[in-house]
Amino acid sequence: MQIKDIQDDIDEELISHDALERRIVDVAGAVSRDYEGKNPLLIAVLKGAANVMVTFSQAMSIPLEIDYMSLSSYGSGTESSGKITVREDLTTDVAGRHVLIVEDIVDSGYTLNWLVGELNRRGAASVEIFAMLEKPARRKYHVDVKYRGFEIPDKFVVGYGLDYNEYYRNLNSIAVLKPSVYIEGECA
Ligand code: 5GP
Ligand code: MG
Ligand code: MG
């Protein structure tokens, strides 16, 4: 019997595993210098940013805390819009903390625009963003991304935490799927 391999569903690799991790480690070095003595709180939104959080935080050796949040946004189509609700909240009080949001991708910016506002309402001392990927062509909401990994074209990507129908999060690079995957339905 042939074993299904998710690599077979890839049309084009946009960012290799090595290039991705080299860049994440570089940014983590710069962030470590900027946050020295500040004991930052790194926050990732599940599930997409879980992978980048691991690589990014392990490349930092300054004292820091890590927390996660699960959000859901209801809206139409493939774009996030509408009301954001907190599905699983942080366990950390952010008041007075220097917060760095670790994000997988900034698309319209809707989610991050809301999250930065929410963390400021909770009294964070500062809120900055590291986004592994950014799609500048799609930006609709204002977000200041202080640290970024890569800018990518307006294509739907998967891998390194990013999913299509909950699959492909375990792909270790950033890639575009074959059109047949979307036509035939979920990864099977
Ligand atoms: P935004 O609120 O910026 O429009 O959307 C952010 C979220 O949408 C990301 O955290 C991610 O979960 C999802 N998203 C946006 N673009 C892509 C993409 O190209 N691929 C995948 N898999 N998810 C995306
Ligand atoms: Mg995300
Ligand atoms: Mg998703």
Side-chain angles (χ1 to χ4, degrees):
M1 200 185 88
Q2 200 171 353
I3 295 172
K4 166 82 183 173
D5 190 324
I6 55 171
Q7 295 283 348
D8 297 339
D9 291 344
I10 291 173
D11 194 20
E12 182 196 357
E13 186 180 87
L14 285 188
I15 307 168
S16 71
H17 177 72
D18 281 0
L20 196 59
E21 296 211 329
R22 243 183 286 123
R23 179 74 186 135
I24 294 169
V25 168
D26 269 4
V27 177
V31 170
S32 298
R33 289 189 287 278
D34 290 355
Y35 281 85
E36 210 194 325
K38 288 186 170 171
N39 293 11
L41 172 64
L42 308 190
I43 293 177
V45 177
L46 295 171
K47 305 171 192 172
N51 297 44
V52 61
M53 174 63 102
V54 171
T55 306
F56 183 76
S57 63
Q58 287 183 352
M60 294 177 71
S61 51
I62 60 167
L64 55 81
E65 283 184 66
I66 295 173
D67 207 345
Y68 295 93
M69 219 173 172
S70 176
L71 303 176
S72 61
S73 73
Y74 299 99
S76 55
T78 54
E79 281 181 30
S80 51
S81 60
K83 191 174 143 54
I84 289 183
T85 54
V86 178
R87 217 185 311 212
E88 293 276 358
D89 208 340
L90 303 167
T91 59
T92 316
D93 180 3
V94 303
R97 299 298 303 269
H98 292 284
V99 175
L100 180 67
I101 301 169
V102 176
E103 189 48 312
D104 48 4
I105 189 166
V106 193
D107 189 29
S108 72
Y110 185 80
T111 315
L112 276 179
N113 177 283
W114 178 88
L115 183 57
V116 169
E118 176 62 18
L119 295 170
N120 280 318
R121 280 189 289 279
R122 295 184 188 189
S126 67
V127 181
E128 299 290 357
I129 297 164
F130 163 55
M132 174 173 71
L133 305 174
E134 205 179 352
K135 277 187 203 169
R138 301 254 307 170
R139 185 63 54 81
K140 276 209 280 201
Y141 299 87
H142 176 79
V143 178
D144 279 321
V145 179
K146 184 163 183 183
Y147 308 97
R148 75 174 52 68
F150 294 89
E151 286 192 359
I152 61 165
D154 183 9
K155 290 180 176 178
F156 187 81
V157 295
V158 297
Y160 221 82
L162 288 157
D163 74 304
Y164 169 60
N165 274 351
E166 293 300 326
Y167 285 94
Y168 306 103
R169 294 191 195 276
N170 57 324
L171 189 72
N172 71 5
S173 60
I174 298 294
V176 177
L177 294 173
K178 288 176 182 166
S180 59
V181 175
Y182 302 108
I183 294 160
E184 288 159 20
E186 69 177 42
C187 173

